[in-house]
Amino acid sequence: MMPTSDYDPACLPDLLPLYYRRLFPFSQYYRWLSYGGVSKNYFQNREFSFTLKDDIYVRYQSFTTQNELEKEMQKMVPYKVDIGAVYSHRPSQHNAVKSGAFQALEKELVFDIDMTDYDDVRRCCSAADICSKCWTLMIIAIRILDRALREDFGFHHLLWVYSGRRGVHCWVCDDAARKLSVAARSAVAEYLSLVKGGEETLRKVVLSDPIHPFINHSLSVVERYFQQYAIVEQDILGSKESVDKVLALLLVQFPDVFICLCVSVKSSIKKGGQYFDKEIMLQYCYPRLDVNVSKGVNHLLKSPFSVHPKTGRISVPIDLKELNTFDPFEVPTISLICEELERPTADEAEEDDVKDKENEQEAGERRRIRDYKRTSLAKYVKVFDRFLEAMARSWKGEMLKKSGELETSFSVFLTFMSFTYT
Amino acid sequence: MQDSKKKRKKLIGNFQNDLYDQCLQFYGQPPLENISLTEFETFAVERLKLLKTVENVGVSCGKSSEQYTKKLDAEISSLNFPHRGGISEYEKRRKDHISHFILRLAYCQTEDLRRWFIQQEMDLFRYRFNCLHSKHKTDFLHKNNLKYETVSAEEKKNLKDKLIASSYGLSGTKVEEHDVYKVPFQDALDLVRTRKVYLLAGNAYIPHHEIVTIVLNDFRTRLSKALAMTARSLPAVQSDERLQPLLSHLSHAYVGQDYSIQKNIGKISLEQIDALSGKSFPLCMRHLHKALRENHHLRHGGRMQYGLFLKGIGLTLEQALQFWRSEFVKGKVDADKFDKAYAYSVRHMFGKEGKRTDYTPYSCMKVILSNPPSQGDYHGCPFRHSDPELLKQKLQNYKVSPSGINQILELVKGMHYQLACQKYFELTHNVEDAGFSLNHPNQYFTESQKLLNGGRDIKKEVDMSQRSQENPASVTHPSQANSKQAHEEMGDLDSFFQDE
């Protein structure tokens, strides 16, 4: 039997080539970033950046075809892949462009929720660690942001991705989202921000009348999870230190009152700052986003299906229908899926004989399709497929519109031509 | 020949009468007349004074406060700009029109200038729009072809509660009686950013009384585009020798010292920094320095704010690299990683990488208004961004007297952050009056060093007689605008701004 597939970063140089040759879902990836070919050169003008062995970082990588992308990645074997903006020219040729003419034009609207931003309110872990107890924070974040981006902002095509270690990313891929200006991105991020202030701010959430519907929606999500998360999992009332922290928050509001804290913060004193119980819940649980990540059109963010060098986990899409059962510790590592690749199955041996006669590239392609399907990566690629299907329907609409325009102008041209020749 | 000339003059006259029939305008059309150089200069200088007042009053009082209204009203009146749609405002409106376009010439050249100009013009526009009667507001919208989609009565009814909960000052009756507009959220960013509007399916639902924000957005977009175009035609304008000195002086006047050119490069040694941080650093930098020493690390926002400040006080690139490396290496970063990851950004700050922009140290305005700190950050303005309790503790630790602390906290409560910092200066340096108006952390440092090393500059007095000379009413020599006189007048302008 195969040894256990524990991940060891030292194995990356051996595992990555295998990953890029046989497992990375290039054809879906290319399909995504081409966005149905509605805009010319969309894929060709996209910036990628690679982090290579020994922390060598290269920017302004761009590719003309899926094939070129594959070959380059297989050759360079990046430890990390980041996706940047779609520029006015091919990023790999940006030095040849007149200064000032090379501009970032479009990019998905992205969000990065990082667990370290919650360190002041989680007791179970700190810094890069996460566990099942604080993972609830990510569930809360996803539920709140997903609802707001869809219902308030009208976006439809959201891809949520596990970052591989301590957070989640959201890629909003709607056409309208990709065309947003810096100011618009920053406005969206500010709208979604409720927890404000750094080390020096004790009371990070301040609510006043009237309470915006967005806050009410968010509160109903937080309330659903608060009892379980804060009281049970984080045990915020379980130690003097932690109770002191909660008290400090309350004292900011009631400096002269001696407070007797009950087991559930919710049923505490009602006088004074009328929303202090809601504020505390939000301060402990509401998503903390880094506005700077969202606002830059040219900001580079870790690519889905990239490997996390420290944990070995693949950055996989998250299926929101299964969000409650998503376990970051069950996400496959590169060593696991490479190991799964090596295990032969009975039917495959047969298929290989039959398909031997077909041309190599097709066989290679099919083998690769079969390859990831027999690893734990399969179900995550399916999630990605479903996401692409939904988007493809909207691309079809765009293409029809465009070809409709083309048809009209072509028929006008024909009519004109027929008149000239009579 | 004569006839058509007369006709043309009359046409232009009529056109201008139409143009100036409204108190407020979008500055869509540039002025078409000839004016004297004197008028050119006077108009420009006065509008600049107005915009500077708009800026200062905006920072020291809340934009919707009574004080703000009073001060701006006074300034607008005294400078003879159009005011609340009074009668016989033709001359003032003409001045408003022309001066705006002149300043476009001066402020289109760099990103920073454009941003400043747009910000102040927007604040001025918002103020004047809000002063209009509701009917005039609607007139303005119609006259300028701003058609915004209104929400049907039925939809209003369905969304009534949500609308009331999203917009300040909106009641049930208001929703029923007045129009509610529906615009794509991209056109209402200011309301979205502050969550002062109801959003549904990508649309923002704007009650009538908030329409100014949408109009402002429009205003900003138009002005931004116009400035970009103006920048392109600028070389032709600048080649006119009469205009070039004035325009160049105007664009430098607003910013005063930006500390981009360091006068004391290399005069500070790294060993002095700890002591200096206690004596001559403003609170924000003292705070950052302490955090750096304690954590052996600072996040990006802190590195930028503090790093550029250090550059401003005279650190060389080599010193800066040594300073940051020695501190980071004490923490979790090894020398190699520092050279790979952080050294680049230090060199970037000094203009030795990438775009090679030589970044200027942040002014107080920039620190207060942009990039607020979040968890794990130590940058920003402590008077603005710290909890008053924590600020109080910190001041106590720094041995500020209890009465002094109270004075500072009062100023903070009134949102006078720069004045609070000035008070901190006065208390820590043991002087009654700082003798300067604080608007830049490096200015704090320079003034502190001046004080501690003996010898203060005598404060320049701009007395009343000088002020009246700058008043257009008393400028009655139209054709003497040769460059020498222009230069002298510019001298007055300088001293006016230094006193701000």
Side-chain angles (χ1 to χ4, degrees):
Chain A
M1 279 317 294
M2 280 289 171
T4 55
S5 38
D6 280 341
Y7 172 72
D8 175 7
C11 295
L12 261 188
D14 300 316
L15 298 172
L16 280 173
L18 190 59
Y19 179 66
Y20 291 129
R21 255 189 313 118
R22 291 173 67 187
L23 293 165
F24 189 94
F26 281 108
S27 83
Q28 288 92 335
Y29 195 71
Y30 177 78
R31 200 169 161 226
W32 169 36
L33 294 174
S34 309
Y35 284 96
V38 173
S39 284
K40 264 183 75 180
N41 291 325
Y42 213 69
F43 181 80
Q44 289 74 9
N45 289 347
R46 170 82 68 166
E47 180 191 359
F48 295 86
S49 73
F50 292 159
T51 307
L52 309 174
K53 203 161 124 150
D54 295 329
D55 273 332
I56 298 175
Y57 183 64
V58 289
R59 268 194 77 173
Y60 300 112
Q61 304 299 295
S62 62
F63 313 98
T64 46
T65 60
Q66 175 185 335
N67 206 31
E68 195 187 314
L69 172 72
E70 287 186 37
K71 292 276 177 311
E72 282 305 304
M73 280 177 71
Q74 284 154 7
K75 192 169 81 174
M76 296 172 87
V77 193
Y79 277 37
K80 281 202 312 195
V81 180
D82 291 337
I83 300 179
V86 176
Y87 282 81
S88 51
H89 304 76
R90 291 196 196 166
S92 56
Q93 297 170 347
H94 73 284
N95 286 316
V97 179
K98 198 168 81 151
S99 143
F102 181 67
Q103 306 266 1
L105 298 178
E106 295 190 14
K107 193 178 71 70
E108 295 74 10
L109 172 63
V110 294
F111 296 93
D112 180 353
I113 320 282
D114 187 327
M115 201 72 88
T116 38
D117 291 336
Y118 293 78
D119 279 356
D120 61 323
V121 289
R122 52 175 186 147
R123 296 179 61 208
C124 48
C125 314
S126 70
D129 302 323
I130 61 164
C131 69
S132 52
K133 293 189 190 143
C134 47
W135 181 254
T136 314
L137 288 171
M138 292 294 114
I139 299 184
I140 295 175
I142 295 175
R143 293 232 181 273
I144 291 179
L145 297 176
D146 193 74
R147 184 216 68 82
L149 288 166
R150 286 179 196 281
E151 292 177 14
D152 295 6
F153 287 98
F155 295 124
H156 298 109
H157 305 292
L158 277 64
L159 182 69
W160 285 95
V161 181
Y162 172 54
S163 76
R165 187 162 60 154
R166 61 186 193 219
V168 294
H169 300 155
C170 179
W171 296 77
V172 185
C173 301
D174 295 56
D175 189 63
R178 286 179 274 131
K179 292 179 156 67
L180 288 176
S181 65
V182 171
R185 286 163 206 260
S186 119
V188 174
E190 298 275 356
Y191 176 93
L192 298 170
S193 299
L194 271 181
V195 181
K196 306 215 168 125
E199 300 292 335
E200 301 298 302
T201 313
L202 276 183
R203 184 178 167 202
K204 296 188 164 84
V205 181
V206 180
L207 297 180
S208 51
D209 268 325
I211 304 275
H212 192 279
F214 166 77
I215 299 181
N216 277 325
H217 279 297
S218 309
L219 270 169
S220 57
V221 175
V222 169
E223 279 167 7
R224 239 164 51 216
Y225 290 93
F226 184 76
Q227 181 77 12
Q228 175 65 18
Y229 171 72
I231 309 296
V232 177
E233 288 170 346
Q234 293 297 320
D235 201 20
I236 63 171
L237 300 175
S239 80
K240 182 179 184 304
E241 192 205 330
S242 185
V243 169
D244 280 349
K245 252 190 174 168
V246 178
L247 278 179
L249 272 179
L250 294 171
L251 282 168
V252 165
Q253 301 230 31
F254 309 106
D256 303 318
V257 176
F258 177 80
I259 293 161
C260 206
L261 206 65
C262 319
V263 171
S264 165
V265 179
K266 260 168 105 167
S267 55
S268 295
I269 300 156
K270 295 290 181 195
K271 58 171 163 163
Q274 43 173 162
Y275 298 118
F276 80 91
D277 55 340
K278 300 195 200 292
E279 288 176 359
I280 291 183
M281 280 196 280
L282 290 172
Q283 183 153 338
Y284 274 84
C285 299
Y286 185 86
R288 300 167 178 216
L289 0 130
D290 185 350
V291 175
N292 291 314
V293 167
S294 306
K295 74 180 188 197
V297 177
N298 53 6
H299 186 96
L300 291 144
L301 186 65
K302 186 154 187 263
S303 168
F305 296 106
S306 187
V307 182
H308 196 297
K310 298 228 168 67
T311 61
R313 302 214 188 261
I314 312 291
S315 281
V316 292
I318 300 176
D319 184 358
L320 290 209
K321 295 200 207 72
E322 313 278 315
L323 183 58
N324 286 333
T325 49
F326 182 89
D327 183 356
F329 298 99
E330 286 298 305
V331 170
T333 58
I334 187 174
S335 17
L336 175 69
I337 55 180
C338 286
E339 189 234 317
E340 287 171 335
L341 204 56
E342 299 304 310
R343 296 189 211 141
T345 61
D347 359 282
E348 267 176 354
E350 276 176 44
E351 277 186 57
D352 264 331
D353 296 329
V354 171
K355 305 286 199 244
D356 242 331
K357 299 163 192 159
E358 307 196 33
N359 91 35
E360 265 203 32
Q361 212 218 6
E362 254 193 70
E365 181 90 28
R366 209 171 293 116
R367 198 184 308 127
R368 200 166 28 239
I369 295 173
R370 289 203 308 266
D371 280 349
Y372 76 74
K373 280 196 176 163
R374 60 186 199 192
T375 68
S376 309
L377 197 59
K379 77 171 188 181
Y380 299 100
V381 180
K382 264 212 193 87
V383 176
F384 193 49
D385 279 331
R386 284 197 289 269
F387 163 76
L388 290 176
E389 279 310 308
M391 272 212 298
R393 288 191 279 272
S394 71
W395 299 334
K396 228 185 188 172
E398 283 296 305
M399 284 304 251
L400 278 174
K401 245 200 286 176
K402 275 201 168 179
S403 63
E405 287 162 12
L406 198 64
E407 263 177 41
T408 337
S409 47
F410 192 62
S411 62
V412 167
F413 172 74
L414 280 180
T415 325
F416 170 74
M417 288 303 288
S418 65
F419 277 129
T420 348
Y421 281 106
T422 25
Chain B
M1 256 315 191
Q2 286 293 87
D3 240 343
S4 63
K5 249 197 188 165
K6 258 201 213 154
K7 243 193 201 162
R8 194 164 155 269
K9 246 193 165 170
K10 188 162 184 224
L11 264 173
I12 295 179
N14 281 343
F15 168 73
Q16 288 191 325
N17 272 329
D18 276 337
L19 193 58
Y20 297 145
D21 73 349
Q22 288 227 313
C23 167
L24 195 55
Q25 59 160 299
F26 249 4
Y27 309 107
Q29 300 292 335
L32 293 174
E33 46 173 296
N34 297 327
I35 62 170
S36 67
L37 268 180
T38 321
E39 233 183 5
F40 188 93
E41 287 164 13
T42 329
F43 280 6
V45 165
E46 296 197 336
R47 192 182 192 86
L48 187 55
K49 282 189 202 169
L50 178 59
L51 292 185
K52 271 230 83 188
T53 307
V54 167
E55 178 184 43
N56 287 335
V57 167
V59 169
S60 55
C61 327
K63 284 185 190 162
S64 44
S65 72
E66 242 190 75
Q67 259 193 322
Y68 184 81
T69 313
K70 258 202 279 186
K71 286 191 175 173
L72 258 195
D73 262 359
E75 189 74 1
I76 291 178
S77 289
S78 83
L79 289 172
N80 268 316
F81 278 98
H83 190 56
R84 297 177 183 271
I87 21 130
S88 69
E89 283 220 323
Y90 177 82
E91 279 306 319
K92 298 183 185 177
R93 292 176 189 179
R94 175 178 167 265
K95 175 167 152 175
D96 178 47
H97 184 209
I98 296 175
S99 60
H100 171 89
F101 276 90
I102 299 174
L103 286 191
R104 277 197 196 180
L105 294 172
Y107 284 86
C108 64
Q109 300 173 62
T110 70
E111 192 58 51
D112 271 345
L113 289 174
R114 284 199 277 241
R115 201 176 299 141
W116 184 86
F117 182 66
I118 292 177
Q119 183 61 52
Q120 311 323 318
E121 284 285 342
M122 274 179 59
D123 283 344
L124 179 63
F125 184 92
R126 179 193 296 114
Y127 174 73
R128 292 165 66 190
F129 187 86
N130 281 333
C131 287
L132 294 175
H133 285 302
S134 186
K135 181 183 176 306
H136 291 154
K137 280 185 187 158
T138 321
D139 282 346
F140 180 85
L141 291 179
H142 289 165
K143 178 126 198 286
N144 286 278
N145 279 325
L146 298 169
K147 297 187 183 74
Y148 300 120
E149 186 186 330
T150 45
V151 170
S152 70
E154 191 180 335
E155 201 179 356
K156 267 201 287 182
K157 205 163 97 181
N158 291 338
L159 296 176
K160 191 162 88 160
D161 291 330
K162 302 236 164 78
L163 291 173
I164 296 174
S166 338
S167 304
Y168 188 75
L170 191 62
S171 65
T173 27
K174 274 199 191 155
V175 173
E176 282 166 26
E177 290 172 7
H178 296 292
D179 282 332
V180 173
Y181 302 91
K182 184 159 102 170
V183 304
F185 81 87
Q186 290 91 329
D187 291 345
L189 292 182
D190 284 327
L191 290 174
V192 171
R193 180 191 315 275
T194 49
R195 214 181 299 112
K196 291 206 166 102
V197 70
Y198 179 63
L199 285 187
L200 185 63
N203 286 316
Y205 288 72
I206 323 273
H208 180 84
H209 68 277
E210 296 265 28
I211 201 67
V212 66
T213 327
I214 311 303
V215 176
L216 269 180
N217 223 48
D218 221 314
F219 183 79
R220 187 210 277 120
T221 318
R222 294 184 196 209
L223 186 53
S224 192
K225 281 201 188 116
L227 284 178
M229 283 205 303
T230 311
R232 284 199 275 273
S233 14
L234 199 59
V237 175
Q238 280 180 327
S239 62
D240 187 325
E241 306 170 331
R242 301 169 297 170
L243 301 181
Q244 198 272 334
L246 169 74
L247 292 178
S248 141
H249 209 104
L250 279 174
S251 61
H252 283 110
Y254 99 88
V255 104
Q257 255 263 56
D258 65 358
Y259 299 93
S260 57
I261 301 168
Q262 288 82 53
K263 295 190 185 146
N264 300 308
I265 304 184
K267 289 215 183 131
I268 308 244
S269 77
L270 295 182
E271 291 72 46
Q272 292 175 281
I273 294 187
D274 278 325
L276 284 173
S277 77
K279 286 191 297 185
S280 292
F281 281 10
L283 197 61
C284 54
M285 303 302 173
R286 187 173 182 179
H287 185 49
L288 278 164
H289 181 75
K290 186 153 177 275
L292 176 63
R293 285 279 190 238
E294 279 174 9
N295 304 325
H296 309 299
H297 187 269
L298 272 183
R299 279 192 178 180
H300 183 256
R303 293 200 301 271
M304 286 302 282
Q305 185 175 324
Y306 190 38
L308 288 172
F309 170 77
L310 289 175
K311 182 172 89 147
I313 68 175
L315 243 57
T316 63
L317 173 58
E318 288 66 40
Q319 285 179 303
L321 283 169
Q322 194 187 337
F323 175 73
W324 290 102
R325 184 194 286 114
S326 68
E327 204 52 56
F328 272 52
V329 155
K330 289 187 200 146
K332 295 191 201 152
V333 175
D334 61 47
D336 244 355
K337 174 144 193 230
F338 178 85
D339 287 331
K340 273 187 202 139
Y342 297 100
Y344 177 91
S345 80
V346 178
R347 283 197 299 276
H348 206 268
M349 267 187 245
F350 279 76
K352 300 277 186 263
E353 295 281 358
K355 277 192 305 188
R356 316 268 155 162
T357 321
D358 206 6
Y359 290 97
T360 52
Y362 296 167
S363 63
C364 289
M365 205 75 82
K366 180 154 184 178
V367 172
I368 291 172
L369 294 175
S370 52
N371 197 21
S374 31
Q375 185 59 32
D377 286 325
Y378 294 91
H379 63 264
C381 171
F383 300 101
R384 163 80 179 83
H385 296 118
S386 281
D387 240 23
E389 270 309 304
L390 287 171
L391 179 62
K392 182 170 168 179
Q393 270 173 33
K394 201 181 298 173
L395 292 171
Q396 281 168 342
N397 287 340
Y398 293 154
K399 313 262 192 308
V400 179
S401 71
S403 63
I405 296 183
N406 282 334
Q407 287 179 301
I408 291 181
L409 291 179
E410 274 306 306
L411 287 168
V412 166
K413 217 158 96 192
M415 301 210 297
H416 308 300
Y417 309 118
Q418 284 154 267
L419 293 177
C421 192
Q422 234 170 271
K423 177 61 57 183
Y424 170 76
F425 179 97
E426 286 161 8
L427 293 163
T428 50
H429 290 75
N430 236 321
V431 292
E432 276 272 335
D433 182 359
F436 63 96
S437 208
L438 180 66
N439 52 45
H440 201 294
N442 286 90
Q443 177 193 21
Y444 185 110
F445 180 81
T446 315
E447 292 292 333
S448 168
Q449 285 288 289
K450 237 199 287 185
L451 197 58
L452 295 173
N453 297 332
R456 272 173 66 179
D457 272 326
I458 300 166
K459 178 174 169 181
K460 283 194 192 152
E461 292 287 338
V462 177
D463 62 34
M464 287 314 292
S465 58
Q466 264 199 332
R467 267 188 198 272
S468 64
Q469 261 182 19
E470 290 158 0
N471 189 310
S474 59
V475 173
T476 47
H477 332 290
S479 54
Q480 281 173 25
N482 60 33
S483 49
K484 184 166 186 286
Q485 189 186 39
H487 196 69
E488 278 162 11
E489 281 176 10
M490 289 306 106
D492 290 344
L493 181 65
D494 244 339
S495 62
F496 177 83
F497 286 114
Q498 267 169 13
D499 256 39
E500 287 289 333

